[in-house]
Amino acid sequence: MSVRSAKVNRARRNALKSAMLVSAFLATSALHRQASAVPGNNGNGKGGCGKGQQTNGCGGNGGLCFAQGTLIRTREGYRPIETLAAGDEVAVRSGGFAPIKAMVSHTLDSVSGKWVGESNLPVLIQRGALGENSPDADLCLTAWHPVYVDGFLIPIGDLVNGTSITFEATGGRDTLDFFNIELDRHDILDVQGAFCESLCRAETARCAPRLRLAGGRNQLWSRMRSVASIVVDRRQPIDVIRDKLEERGDAFTRAA
């Protein structure tokens, strides 16, 4: 494919996704207005998550996790994350191995075939979606969990493309267990050949810069920058990374 064709395809794809974002934004706004009109409802959208709660829906540290069965590289080779414990040593990108300080976990429930939670849903990364053999097998983690791509940490939910990176369906499961690894200092783990961050608490210094597209407006502006890039390329790093992975996902689809 020529450079010109790639640019045209990128602009077309982002224009379509921009239209979808606008439609979703309008629909959400309409529902919000309806909810605000109900007597006794202040419409602030904050019900159910009180201050200080550490639940999956409220964005507690326990919500940034890998699904049960995820393989983590250790001194003994790759091991399922649920078999690890404090003191075990895991491979880290900063070099060598680091001992696990603590393991955290939470369970995600499903009701009527849908996961409970508004945004931090399971995301499935297909083999090779992030790069050659990265991951080297399908990988499931929560949407808010950052992956390390091209020098940046990006929540995987911001990279969902509908082809190679998708939201994971319940598949008839009532629950799904998730785990994460806390180290003495923040680092990047080897997870089935992909790089993903260890648990990072609020007071912890990150080992790499973090990017994200928080909110529908930011996502729309990101898409519009990619549409305009056919004329003048002013995309930000997160736009470039997302476009690259989407192009990779499209190639998967064409090859199927």
Side-chain angles (χ1 to χ4, degrees), residues 16 51 83 91-92 111 113 120 135 154 162 174 182 190 213 250-251:
L16 290 172
K51 182 177 180 181
T83 69
V92 291
V111 175
N120 196 27
I154 305 174
D174 294 326
E182 182 177 7
D190 180 342
L213 294 170
D250 288 346

Side-chain angles (χ1 to χ4, degrees), residues 78-121:
Y78 285 98
R79 288 176 52 186
I81 191 168
E82 66 272 18
T83 69
L84 300 177
D88 291 338
E89 292 188 316
V90 293
V92 291
R93 193 174 183 279
S94 61
F97 296 83
I100 295 175
K101 178 181 179 180
M103 298 292 299
V104 299
S105 65
H106 77 276
T107 298
L108 186 62
D109 299 317
S110 70
V111 175
S112 300
K114 294 184 179 181
W115 297 115
V116 176
E118 296 180 356
S119 58
N120 196 27
L121 302 175

Side-chain angles (χ1 to χ4, degrees), residues 27 51 53 60 62 65 113 164 168 173 184 220:
K51 182 177 180 181
Q53 286 181 300
C65 297
S164 58
E168 172 84 323
R173 291 168 293 190
D184 283 328
L220 180 58

